[in-house]
Amino acid sequence: MKRALALPLAVFALTSPSQVSAQKPYSVVEASISDMRAALAAKRTTSREIVMQSLARIALYEGRLHAVITVNPRALAIADSLDRLRTQGKILGPLHGIPVALKDNIHTTDMPTTGGALAFADLVPPYAATLTKNLEAAEAIIIAKTQLTELANWVAAGMPGNYNGLNGYGMNPWDPRRDPRETFFDGRPVLGTGGSSSGVGTNVSFWVANVGTETSGSILSPSNQNMLAGIKPTVGRVSRYGVIPITADQDTPGPMTRSVSDAAIMLSVLENATPDSNDAATKLCPLPAGRDYTKFLNPNGLKGARIGIPRAFFYDRSGPPAPGSTMPRGGLNDTQKKTMDSVIALLRHLGATVVDPADIPSITDTNAASNFLNWNPCSGDQSKGRDAECSVAFKYGMKRDFNTWLKSLGDNAPVKTLTELRQWNIAHQRVGAIKYGQAQLDISDEMNVQVDRARYEADRRKDILLSATNGINAALKANRLDALLFPGVSSANIGARPGYPTVTVPYSFVPVAQGTGAAAFPAGFEPKPAPFNVSFTASACSEPKLIELAFAFEQATKKRVAPPLFP
């Protein structure tokens, strides 16, 4: 997008990565927050030089990746001001002079906040998100707003991850080619980037870390697809004030980084020192002492830990059949099974007690009405009259919370209601709005916040019963576990419903299937392997323990590598 690229292209015309390297040996590529802190303290680099390298990398690679919607035009000026403070001996925060990026559904008042939607292309909110203020208080440089699936993937059923009408398709650095299959030949990437957040810029060192948001999988999925460490916090751990919502029941911001230690640093900054009066959920979890998650970075953290293996569905094809079918559900392919076998062996080697199996009761329940696998959020064509067998919590929450958010914008709001947004989209289809339709917005807008409240509350109770009470909580309690271990990020759905935390860690690559029938790749086309993480999940407010487990695993494996096509 031209607005995003104008500044870095101008910088690149003056300073190429090779020139920066010639002037200063320090490189931002794969550098951690601690690396940058140390280099700045030792005067081996400056914040200006770090930002210059970051902008040069954006200019060089953004055209192939679409990781950025807007670059902060004040990034260099902010870096200069922080460098001046540093020379005066004033280090004002743990991210002083270090560039990070925000998903473009998080309010900033010096850049637009678009949500990837054409209707919001020029929206500059009248207030900053609480987490934006926290990052600024830590003296981070918010260098850019990142790509995302439009409105956090609650616009259309079937819309590709990381697509939006404003900036097109995000591409994956591990395989930045377009999908050649006729069935999918619309410009989308052959290897998904995950969504709705983007981890692409962090993966290729445009910045050291980024903040995503998740309602169900939108931090975990892009972390997995970009071989990043990600923390999906307990809902309320990080304030949602100033974040374009889907539903307050499940929405949460969280960090995406190249290491667990960086994610811990970021979470320490993102969480408020006191509850946010604009977000009641921030009262739920107690702060760690000193508001510091790095104290849980224990390389021996797996020793004595009890880790459960939820075999049914998540590992083995043994989930009860769907209604009307006789085939069991779920399971891993042979390569994934071998990968997870090696993970489990390593956990035992590192001193963990592995409880295998530690199945989740609501997954194995043979009563169809009590099985979590049969209870999904209403989506697509599941409008009123067709939504008896799904949870209305998403579509109800979107109507309730999106209209409240629009009202908070005052005169800055380009549209005043969800209904107006849908009408605007229809009127602007020919210029690129709603390429994949807007079925999710449609089924949300038909909800009546007053009339449908009883149905919503009943469905939320069932969400919590199946995902938490008879789900994750039951498995943890029955087996006295510290956490459950999930392949990839397969806990996203069941963990999201009750707002539970997960920490995901890079581990391996797995082959991408050649596909069959209409999904088969053309002869001679070889898809590249996809990243494959492992994830630790537990109940509300368990981030300290999950960070400890994830860090110990990461330090024992250190499998994160940089994508070779973007040196």
Side-chain angles (χ1 to χ4, degrees), residues 312-314 318-320 360-365 370-373 470 494:
F313 180 76
F314 297 101
S318 56
I360 295 173
S362 64
I363 295 292
T364 57
D365 198 316
S370 302
N371 193 291
F372 177 81
L373 300 177
N470 294 345
I494 196 167

Side-chain angles (χ1 to χ4, degrees), residues 7-258:
L7 177 62
L9 283 173
V11 172
F12 186 62
L14 297 173
T15 309
S16 71
S18 61
Q19 288 171 322
V20 171
S21 179
Q23 293 162 6
K24 291 287 182 179
Y26 182 79
S27 172
V28 300
V29 178
E30 291 293 297
S32 68
I33 293 172
S34 295
D35 292 338
M36 288 188 178
R37 284 174 174 170
L40 288 163
K43 299 181 179 180
R44 290 194 292 117
T45 190
T46 64
S47 292
R48 166 172 269 269
E49 290 163 350
I50 289 172
V51 169
M52 288 284 282
Q53 286 194 49
S54 295
L55 294 176
R57 290 183 66 78
I58 292 170
L60 185 61
Y61 297 132
E62 170 61 11
R64 296 169 61 191
L65 294 173
H66 292 183
V68 178
I69 288 184
T70 303
V71 168
N72 190 343
R74 297 183 57 248
L76 284 171
I78 296 168
D80 288 341
S81 68
L82 293 173
D83 281 337
R84 286 192 293 272
L85 288 172
R86 186 177 291 277
T87 61
Q88 298 166 17
K90 298 177 181 178
I91 310 300
L92 302 180
L95 297 175
H96 188 109
I98 292 173
V100 300
L102 301 182
K103 185 176 179 179
D104 201 22
N105 63 345
I106 298 170
H107 284 201
T108 49
T109 55
D110 54 356
M111 289 179 280
T113 299
T114 72
L118 288 175
F120 301 131
D122 298 313
L123 170 64
V124 178
Y127 61 96
T130 299
L131 73 86
T132 301
K133 293 179 180 179
N134 289 347
L135 286 166
E136 290 171 342
E139 299 297 342
I141 299 171
I142 299 174
I143 193 171
K145 305 295 286 292
T146 73
Q147 175 78 351
L148 74 166
T149 317
E150 189 166 329
L151 296 182
N153 201 24
W154 196 253
V155 174
M159 185 166 66
N162 240 219
Y163 168 83
N164 62 69
L166 196 61
N167 204 39
Y169 302 91
M171 308 303 287
N172 194 312
W174 298 108
D175 193 347
R177 297 173 292 176
R178 307 237 177 225
D179 197 317
R181 294 172 289 183
E182 186 173 349
T183 304
F184 307 108
F185 196 62
D186 55 6
R188 71 182 67 191
V190 67
L191 179 61
T193 63
S196 62
S197 307
S198 173
V200 172
T202 301
N203 191 4
V204 297
S205 299
F206 284 177
W207 39 75
V208 72
N210 69 285
V211 182
T213 67
E214 173 157 333
T215 310
S216 183
S218 295
I219 292 169
L220 298 177
S221 167
S223 294
N224 181 79
Q225 291 297 102
N226 285 279
M227 211 177 205
L228 299 177
I231 298 177
K232 183 267 180 184
T234 303
V235 168
R237 176 71 80 177
V238 179
S239 172
R240 288 85 53 82
Y241 182 64
V243 178
I244 301 175
I246 294 180
T247 173
D249 297 320
Q250 295 183 206
D251 291 346
T252 178
M256 300 164 62
T257 61
R258 295 186 291 268

Side-chain angles (χ1 to χ4, degrees), residues 147-437:
Q147 175 78 351
L148 74 166
T149 317
E150 189 166 329
L151 296 182
N153 201 24
W154 196 253
V155 174
M159 185 166 66
N162 240 219
Y163 168 83
N164 62 69
L166 196 61
N167 204 39
Y169 302 91
M171 308 303 287
N172 194 312
W174 298 108
D175 193 347
R177 297 173 292 176
R178 307 237 177 225
D179 197 317
R181 294 172 289 183
E182 186 173 349
T183 304
F184 307 108
F185 196 62
D186 55 6
R188 71 182 67 191
V190 67
L191 179 61
T193 63
S196 62
S197 307
S198 173
V200 172
T202 301
N203 191 4
V204 297
S205 299
F206 284 177
W207 39 75
V208 72
N210 69 285
V211 182
T213 67
E214 173 157 333
T215 310
S216 183
S218 295
I219 292 169
L220 298 177
S221 167
S223 294
N224 181 79
Q225 291 297 102
N226 285 279
M227 211 177 205
L228 299 177
I231 298 177
K232 183 267 180 184
T234 303
V235 168
R237 176 71 80 177
V238 179
S239 172
R240 288 85 53 82
Y241 182 64
V243 178
I244 301 175
I246 294 180
T247 173
D249 297 320
Q250 295 183 206
D251 291 346
T252 178
M256 300 164 62
T257 61
R258 295 186 291 268
S259 68
V260 175
S261 58
D262 279 0
I265 293 169
M266 287 290 290
L267 184 60
S268 301
V269 169
L270 294 174
E271 187 171 13
N272 275 30
T274 58
D276 183 358
S277 60
N278 294 302
D279 186 351
T282 55
K283 298 176 182 177
L284 175 64
C285 294
L287 278 169
R291 192 183 164 202
D292 181 11
Y293 288 93
T294 64
K295 65 180 63 179
F296 305 109
L297 300 175
N298 176 11
N300 298 312
L302 283 162
K303 189 172 183 179
R306 290 179 63 83
I307 309 296
I309 307 301
R311 284 279 169 192
F313 180 76
F314 297 101
Y315 288 73
D316 299 339
R317 192 170 179 81
S318 56
S325 171
T326 59
M327 297 295 294
R329 285 180 280 184
L332 303 174
N333 64 36
D334 290 344
T335 302
Q336 293 167 338
K337 286 178 182 177
K338 185 176 180 181
T339 299
M340 292 310 299
D341 286 346
S342 71
V343 170
I344 292 167
L346 178 61
L347 294 179
R348 290 190 170 111
H349 176 73
L350 294 172
T353 297
V354 176
V355 180
D356 185 4
D359 286 330
I360 295 173
S362 64
I363 295 292
T364 57
D365 198 316
T366 55
N367 179 355
S370 302
N371 193 291
F372 177 81
L373 300 177
N374 300 327
W375 184 243
N376 292 304
C378 300
S379 179
D381 64 355
Q382 290 176 309
S383 57
K384 284 189 174 182
R386 307 177 70 178
D387 60 358
E389 303 301 324
C390 59
S391 171
V392 303
F394 262 41
K395 63 178 183 174
Y396 179 95
M398 174 64 169
K399 177 67 171 283
R400 175 194 63 200
D401 299 332
F402 193 77
N403 280 343
T404 299
W405 169 72
L406 286 171
K407 187 176 180 179
S408 79
L409 300 176
D411 292 340
N412 294 49
V415 294
K416 302 301 182 184
T417 64
L418 179 56
T419 301
E420 285 189 20
L421 174 61
R422 292 171 55 238
Q423 293 168 344
W424 191 99
N425 285 339
I426 291 168
H428 292 82
Q429 281 183 276
R430 294 184 66 181
V431 294
I434 55 173
K435 178 176 180 177
Y436 296 92

